[in-house]
Amino acid sequence: MADASLKAELRKGRLAARDAIPAEERIEKSLVLAAHGAEVISVDPGTVVSGFLPIRSEVDPRPLMDQLRERGARLCVPAILDKTTIVFRELVRGADLVPGTFGTVGPGPEAAELDPEIMLMPLSAFDAGGHRIGYGGGYYDRAIHRLHQKGLKPRLIGIAFDCQEVASVTAEPHDVRLDAVLTESGYRLLGATA
């Protein structure tokens, strides 16, 4: 229980720090982050990249997603199916977006479900070891576990602002470690991949 309480405190603190960034500054930092990402994230035509459509004060990954699409990536975003499951639905230009859970929007159930090869993941907090704190639902950990069961090993890139880094995140057995993080300061390999 102590670990859960500590994670909740870290989540609350880092989200408050993120919320404190003025909207104009978040836009600028998101554009700088996209420029860094475009320099280091390579995709072959057809590479499936999951991103996300930002909510609240999240980094806006759409400029980076657009650049990856221009290089031939197939984009998808998460859609929550139930209390434990997300799938990744293809995001195509001009498709209608429908309201989802937690204030999200995304492609409807008619969109193709894809298995990401690169995952741009939102988060609340992260550490240099590659551990992340999400929003508490465990959706990404379960989705990544399902991909691993299919024999797939997507590259996991946390998308955050610098202010979301913490000294240490206690890892639980179900937690999946990030390969890298992308912030306004640049792209950094984490944990075992560093």
Side-chain angles (χ1 to χ4, degrees):
M1 190 62 178
D3 289 345
S5 177
L6 179 58
K7 279 189 173 183
E9 276 302 308
L10 289 172
R11 179 183 298 114
K12 181 180 176 185
R14 293 307 83 215
L15 291 179
R18 189 182 78 185
D19 290 345
I21 301 171
E24 301 79 21
E25 193 176 327
R26 282 197 309 269
I27 291 168
E28 290 302 318
K29 289 178 184 231
S30 293
L31 291 171
V32 170
L33 178 147
H36 290 308
E39 289 177 6
V40 296
I41 300 172
S42 60
V43 294
D44 294 321
T47 299
V48 178
V49 177
S50 72
F52 56 94
L53 303 176
I55 58 172
R56 299 184 294 267
S57 60
E58 287 179 335
V59 169
D60 187 348
R62 293 174 294 182
L64 174 59
M65 292 164 59
D66 283 342
Q67 291 181 55
L68 297 175
R69 181 196 318 261
E70 287 173 12
R71 294 184 194 159
R74 288 181 74 186
L75 299 180
C76 56
V77 294
I80 297 174
L81 297 186
D82 55 42
K83 292 186 181 207
T84 62
T85 310
I86 59 173
V87 294
F88 299 92
R89 292 182 178 157
E90 187 166 21
L91 181 65
V92 296
R93 291 188 195 275
D96 289 334
L97 301 179
V98 299
T101 309
F102 304 120
T104 62
V105 296
E110 70 285 347
E113 290 183 13
L114 303 177
D115 290 332
E117 298 166 71
I118 298 173
M119 297 176 75
L120 307 177
M121 300 170 57
L123 51 85
S124 298
F126 70 94
D127 69 16
H131 303 290
R132 68 182 276 280
I133 299 175
Y135 296 120
Y139 289 102
Y140 273 93
D141 291 321
R142 287 187 295 276
I144 294 164
H145 179 71
R146 284 194 313 277
L147 291 169
H148 288 173
Q149 287 180 318
K150 291 181 176 183
L152 304 173
K153 179 113 174 65
R155 183 164 42 142
L156 309 177
I157 304 170
I159 302 294
F161 294 115
D162 287 332
C163 68
Q164 292 175 259
E165 185 169 6
V166 297
S168 178
V169 172
T170 301
E172 297 178 58
H174 65 273
D175 290 337
V176 180
R177 193 178 287 199
L178 296 170
D179 297 309
V181 69
L182 179 61
T183 71
E184 70 270 25
S185 293
Y187 180 86
R188 184 168 38 134
L189 294 175
L190 301 174
T193 55

